[in-house]
Amino acid sequence: MRLSVRNVSWSAGSTRILRDVSLDVAQGEFLGIIGPNGSGKTSLLALLSGIRRPQIGEILLDGAPLAGFGRRTVARCIALVEQQAETTEHITARQAVELGRTPYLDALSPWSAVDATIVDAALQAVDMAHLADRFWHTLSGGERQRVHVARALAQEPKILLLDEPTNHLDIGHQIALLDLVRQQRLTVVAALHDLNHASMFCDRIAVLRGGTLLTIGAPQNVLTPSLISEVFGVDAVIEDHGAEGCAIRFRPDGAPCRPHRAT
């Protein structure tokens, strides 16, 4: 399932957040979105999910305007994992993941053993099955983040949108989570802060700056020292690892990178 953005602009009050953004996300692609804080990454994901509508331009789902689909239909196609999503409800981790089945439930299709199996598999996938009966308010930030991803997987979407999905996770769970997402064979759009993660897991990377799409392309073509300096204001050394992507090392204030010394 494909997503397309056509000449989209969006403002919050008098502040223009996104300016004439156009891009296509191919079926099965893992597209990373990078850029400084305030560049419009979260706003673009909200538009792609249908939570917000562009004031100019349109979002297309398989070539048809997203605005023309019903909310239940969109929810069966697109799942969004937000950067901050909390609840005051007294629910368990399992109950939070069960919310992902909502688009499939109605009077004619009540909760079934199939739904329970899908929820169990989602919890297992993010390594949260052993904490399924823990109450939400007792979970750590990282555990809550994994529950959010499980809820999205339980939704059985064709397209998965992730806004800083590795927030609050330790390095092991960061890598495991992104690898899990890549293995789902979904169309994925993820806003990422870690450029090395973007290089490792993304087929292409889109760079936003000041609400404008600066460039889009394969990681090795986008993640260059000149672009990193221009967009993020830091010097970097790029080590090309071929099919495994590239490794990026940053230099504070233009200082030379010191060689690694074995101990």
Side-chain angles (χ1 to χ4, degrees), residues 76-118:
R76 290 182 176 185
C77 296
I78 302 173
L80 170 65
V81 177
E82 298 179 84
Q83 189 176 151
Q84 297 290 340
E86 297 298 336
T87 179
T88 58
E89 298 294 327
H90 197 61
I91 61 174
T92 64
R94 181 183 298 278
Q95 289 170 329
V97 177
E98 288 174 353
L99 293 174
R101 301 304 299 160
T102 301
Y104 301 92
L105 304 177
D106 56 33
L108 298 178
S109 301
W111 185 267
S112 70
V114 172
D115 297 299
T117 298
I118 291 170

Side-chain angles (χ1 to χ4, degrees), residues 93-94 97 118-132 147 150:
R94 181 183 298 278
V97 177
I118 291 170
V119 168
D120 287 341
L123 284 162
Q124 188 69 41
V126 300
D127 192 27
M128 284 295 292
H130 64 295
L131 296 178
V147 169

Side-chain angles (χ1 to χ4, degrees), residues 2-262:
R2 297 173 290 109
L3 265 180
S4 300
V5 181
R6 293 286 178 265
N7 306 113
V8 162
S9 295
W10 188 80
S11 299
S14 60
T15 303
R16 180 62 59 88
I17 305 298
L18 293 169
R19 305 168 184 271
D20 195 27
V21 174
S22 294
L23 58 85
D24 292 291
V25 188
Q27 181 171 329
E29 179 178 24
F30 194 135
L31 177 69
I33 303 176
I34 66 172
N37 290 339
S39 59
K41 301 186 297 295
T42 295
S43 296
L44 179 58
L45 289 175
L47 294 170
L48 290 173
S49 71
I51 291 177
R52 294 174 178 165
R53 293 190 178 184
Q55 291 142 346
I56 300 173
E58 61 181 352
I59 308 294
L60 303 176
L61 179 62
D62 267 352
L66 183 63
F69 291 93
R71 296 182 67 178
R72 182 182 290 264
T73 300
V74 172
R76 290 182 176 185
C77 296
I78 302 173
L80 170 65
V81 177
E82 298 179 84
Q83 189 176 151
Q84 297 290 340
E86 297 298 336
T87 179
T88 58
E89 298 294 327
H90 197 61
I91 61 174
T92 64
R94 181 183 298 278
Q95 289 170 329
V97 177
E98 288 174 353
L99 293 174
R101 301 304 299 160
T102 301
Y104 301 92
L105 304 177
D106 56 33
L108 298 178
S109 301
W111 185 267
S112 70
V114 172
D115 297 299
T117 298
I118 291 170
V119 168
D120 287 341
L123 284 162
Q124 188 69 41
V126 300
D127 192 27
M128 284 295 292
H130 64 295
L131 296 178
D133 296 324
R134 283 268 301 270
F135 283 104
W136 176 263
H137 69 276
T138 69
L139 299 175
S140 70
E143 289 164 348
R144 293 180 185 184
Q145 190 73 350
R146 283 187 278 154
V147 169
H148 284 314
V149 173
R151 187 269 309 158
L153 294 178
Q155 204 170 318
E156 292 190 304
K158 303 297 188 297
I159 298 171
L160 182 59
L161 308 177
L162 304 167
D163 190 3
E164 302 296 348
T166 57
N167 272 3
H168 310 298
L169 299 181
D170 60 57
I171 186 62
H173 281 112
Q174 289 177 22
I175 300 300
L177 182 63
L178 291 173
D179 189 50
L180 167 70
V181 168
R182 186 170 60 177
Q183 292 178 29
Q184 300 306 303
R185 297 183 180 179
L186 300 171
T187 302
V188 179
V189 183
L192 299 169
H193 265 312
D194 192 311
L195 303 189
N196 282 297
H197 286 170
S199 170
M200 290 172 62
F201 294 101
C202 298
D203 299 307
R204 289 191 302 156
I205 296 172
V207 184
L208 288 177
R209 183 181 63 179
T212 299
L213 179 63
L214 190 63
T215 188
I216 184 170
Q220 65 268 28
N221 296 328
V222 169
L223 296 174
T224 63
S226 59
L227 181 133
I228 292 171
S229 177
E230 177 185 355
V231 174
F232 297 98
V234 295
D235 291 331
V237 172
I238 312 295
E239 298 176 356
D240 188 354
H241 291 173
E244 296 181 359
C246 58
I248 304 168
R249 294 187 295 159
F250 300 101
R251 300 186 298 189
D253 299 324
C257 282
R258 297 177 180 175
H260 174 74
R261 294 181 180 179

